[in-house]
Amino acid sequence: MVNIQSTQLDAVFHALADPTRRAIIARLAQAPCGISELAAPFAMTLAAISKHIKVLEGAGLVVRSIEGRNHTCRLDTGPMVGGMEWLRHYEKFWNQRLDALVTALNTDDTAE
């Protein structure tokens, strides 16, 4: 059985794994904008940028609205919540493990 939440989390992390897509997300965090404006800082075609945007749309991170020939993209941070929860879980886990290691090392030092 496919876990829908896991599939969504995989899509978000896949989308954020690429530096171009992270740059697009950073730009959209400022304000919605068009495809041409998103493509301007990159040395790639509009078709290539459009493929990156489709990956971001597939992850639910970008919503595109179309009026005539104008495509405007805006950021939707909702899907990032699952990723943040996943990271918080493992941050807590590793902090506990590292605290236990420090305690063990300090105990060894004082025993000697």
Side-chain angles (χ1 to χ4, degrees), residues 7-103:
T7 302
Q8 177 68 29
L9 187 61
D10 291 347
V12 168
F13 281 131
H14 169 73
L16 296 176
D18 183 84
T20 300
R21 292 192 287 267
R22 289 193 305 271
I24 290 170
I25 292 287
R27 172 58 189 91
L28 291 175
Q30 297 170 5
C33 62
I35 304 291
S36 296
E37 189 178 349
L38 285 173
F42 303 103
M44 59 180 69
T45 65
L46 287 175
I49 288 294
S50 185
K51 287 180 183 181
H52 283 293
I53 292 169
K54 286 179 184 177
V55 171
L56 292 167
E57 284 178 308
L61 297 168
V62 169
V63 177
R64 186 189 316 217
S65 60
I66 303 170
E67 289 185 32
R69 294 177 57 180
N70 296 324
H71 293 231
T72 302
C73 297
R74 69 173 175 79
L75 179 62
D76 182 356
T77 58
M80 288 186 199
V81 172
M84 293 301 295
E85 289 173 1
W86 187 87
L87 290 169
R88 269 190 231 106
H89 168 77
Y90 284 98
E91 177 185 30
K92 182 179 176 183
F93 169 80
W94 282 111
N95 282 336
Q96 289 172 346
R97 301 302 303 155
L98 291 172
D99 289 345
L101 176 62
V102 168
T103 300

